[in-house]
Amino acid sequence: MTSPAAGKQNAGKLTLSRALNEGLRKAMENDPKVLVMGEDVGRLGGVFRVTDGLQKDFGEDRVIDTPLAESGIVGTAIGLALRGYRPVCEIQFDGFVFPAFDQIVSQLAKMSYRSAGHVRLPVVVRIPFGGGIGAVEHHSESPEALFAHIAGLRVVACGDPADGYAMIQQAISCDDPVIFFEPKRRYWDKTDVDLAGGVAAALPIDTARTLVTGTDVTLLCYGPMVRTCVEAAVAAQEEGKSIEVIDLRSLSPLDTETIFASVRKTGRCVVVHEAAVTGGIGGEIAARVSQECFYHLEAPVLRAGGYTTPYPPSRIEDHYLPDLDRVLDVVDRAFGY
Amino acid sequence: MAVKAAGQAASPSRSHDEPPPTPQLIQLLTPEGERAEHPDYPLDLTPDEIKALYRDLILVRRIDFEAIALQRQGELGIWASLLGQEAAQVGSGRALGPRDMAFPTYREHGVAWCRGLDPAKLLELFRGVSHGGWDPKAHNFHLYTIVIGAQTLHATGYAMGIQRDGALGEDGEAAIVYFGDGATSQGDVNEAFIWASVTNAPVVFFCQNNQWAISEPLDRQTRIPLYHRARGFGFPGIRVDGNDVFACLAVTRQAMQAAREGQGPTLIEAFTYRMGAHTTTDDPTRYRLSAELESWKLKDPIERVKQYLIRSGMAQESFFTGVSAEADEVGIRIRKACLEMPDPDPLSMFDHIYAEPSGLLEEERAQLAAYLSSFVSEEAAR
C-alpha cells in the first residue's frame, strides 16, 4: 500500500500537502478502521490534493466522496465512529465548516460527556484555514477560536510539513475529536520530512514547540504565522533583538507550561494569528499569561492579528493579515513600556 | 406578520397539477379492536405475544404517568410525555433484533423499555442528575438526542459502518432512527435521507408524526403527506397507523429486514397523536382544540388491544388486573429510584470530557474543590 513515491522522498523535502497525504496514508495502513471522507476527496484527491491517490489505493469504502453537505459529513462520521471507525473528515474550506457547526459543537464535542465516558468519538475534522491566497469570500477564514471555546474538542494547527505528517497521525490515533487546522497558503511550502521515522518519537500533539530560542520577547504563533514569525525573529536578530518563537501547535488544550516558562524568561509576550484579535486565541493567552507571569512582565501581552472585520476582499487582504513588518512593529511596541 | 399572512394565503393545492393521491394507511387492528388484514403485511402473533405487547403498552404508559407526577411534585425538572405514542414505540421497538441499533429522540421511553434500558436511567436525565450516561452498546439503544433531527445522521453513519463491517444479509444488522414531524424540516434529516439513499444504508427512518411540533401543526412543516417525501429521495415511504401496535410491528419488521438484507432505507411515517403536552412545561390549550384530543382518544393505542384480547377470548380479567398490578409495582419502583437518586458530586462535572485527564480541567476541579472546602472550614471555625 505504500506509495511508490514515498521511498524516494524519505530523505527529501515534502510539501505540507504531500506530508499530510503521507501521514493519512500511514494511518490508513496502520489501522483498517481509519476512513477518509469529504467532498472531492476521492477521485480528485481533494481540492488541495491532500487525499491524492488514497481512494485508488484504499478503495471507495475507505475514502468516501460524500454528498455536498457538511453537517452530513460530520454527522455520519459520528455514526461511523459509534460503530468503531476512525473517520477523518475534510471540510473543503474554513468558511464551509459552519453548516457542520451544530454537529461538531452539540454532538461531536459532547457525546463523551453525555454518555459519562461510555462513548468516545475519535473523529478528525480537517480544515484548510487562513488567507493569503487571493480567494473569494469564505475561503480565507480563521475560525479556530470558535472551536477552542468548546469543551470536548481538541483543536490543533500544524505549521510545517514535518509537523503535518506527524500531527495528522497523532490526531487520528487520539480518542478525542480533533479539529485539525491546516494553513492552506503553506500547503506548497517544503521541509524535510522523516517518513521512515515512527510517529511515536514525534513531539506529543498537545505540546508547543520552541522553534527559535531567544531572550527578549516570546512570540507565540501557529499555522500560517509560524513561518512569518521565524522570519521575523531572523530580521529582529539583525536589529539586536532576541526573539523566542514558539509554535503553539495545540490551541486546545494550550501548552501553558511552555508558554509561561518562556515568558518568565523573556518578560515580554506577543501573540500572532491571522484570526481577528477580538475574542481570539491571543486574548485567552494574554489573560493566562497576565495572571501567571504578572511579576515577570516588562510589558502587557500584545497581539498581532486580523482586525475586527469580516475577512476583506483579496486585493486588500495583505493589509488585514499580519506580515513580517506588522509582527516586528508589535514586537517593537513591547519594548516601549 | 406579513410573511406569515402571505404563507397562509397560499392555497395548499395551488402548485399541484394533479390532485394529491389519497394517503394510504397500513392498519392491522382497528380502533374498535377488530383485526384487519393487509396483503403486504401478514402478521401471525400468538396470544402470548399479543399479551406481551399489551403489557408493554400498559407499563410504558404507567412509567410515563409516574414521570409526569414526579415532575409535578418537583422531583423532575421536565418530562417529555409519550402519551398516545405507545403503540408506535412498542410496535417498532419490538420489531428490532438484539443486534440492531436504535437512535432515539428524547421521547422514546417506550423504545427504551423494549430495548431493556432501566426507566430510572431516563429519569436521571430529566431530573438533571446526568445527560443520559448510559452505555449505548449495553442495550443497542443510543443516548437520547435533544437537538432535533441530529441523530438521523448518526444512525445513517452507523448504518454505513454496518455496510463496511459486512454485517448485511438474512441475519444482518440495521439501524433505526426516531424523529418527529417537526424534525422533517431540519436540514440534518434531509441530509440523512440523501446519505442513506445514495449509500443504500441499512437504516429505517421512523417518523412519529404526532401532528404537533410544540405549538406548530403539521401544515407548518409540510404540504404533502410526510411519507411521500421518501419517493423524492429515492426510497420507499409507508404510512402506518401509529396507534396500531400490530401494524407498527409488522411494517417495522419488514423495513428492518429489507435494510438488513441490503435493500436500503425506508421511511415509516407512524401517524399518531401527541395526547399530552409537548413537555411538562407546555400548555397545549393555548394552541389546539380539545375536540381534536377527544377524537384521538377514540383511537387510543391501548384500548383497542384490550378490546381485541377480550373479544377473541385470549385474555381474562385476571390477566388485565395482573398487568395493572405490575404497572403499579413498576411505578413504585421508579418513583423510589428517582427519590433515592443522589445529586452528583459537583466535582464530577469535570469528568468524561476527554479520554485522558486534562491539565486545565484538573486545575479547575481543584479550584472548585478548594472553593467548596472554604465554606466547610468557615463552619468549622464557628
Side-chain angles (χ1 to χ4, degrees), chain B residues 77-89:
Chain B
I78 193 171
W79 179 254
S81 169
L82 63 41
L83 186 64
Q85 299 174 221
E86 296 88 348
Q89 296 194 12

Side-chain angles (χ1 to χ4, degrees), chain A residues 46-59:
Chain A
V47 296
F48 293 108
R49 306 294 182 265
V50 173
T51 57
D52 186 32
L54 296 179
Q55 190 180 64
K56 184 171 150 282
D57 292 342
F58 294 99

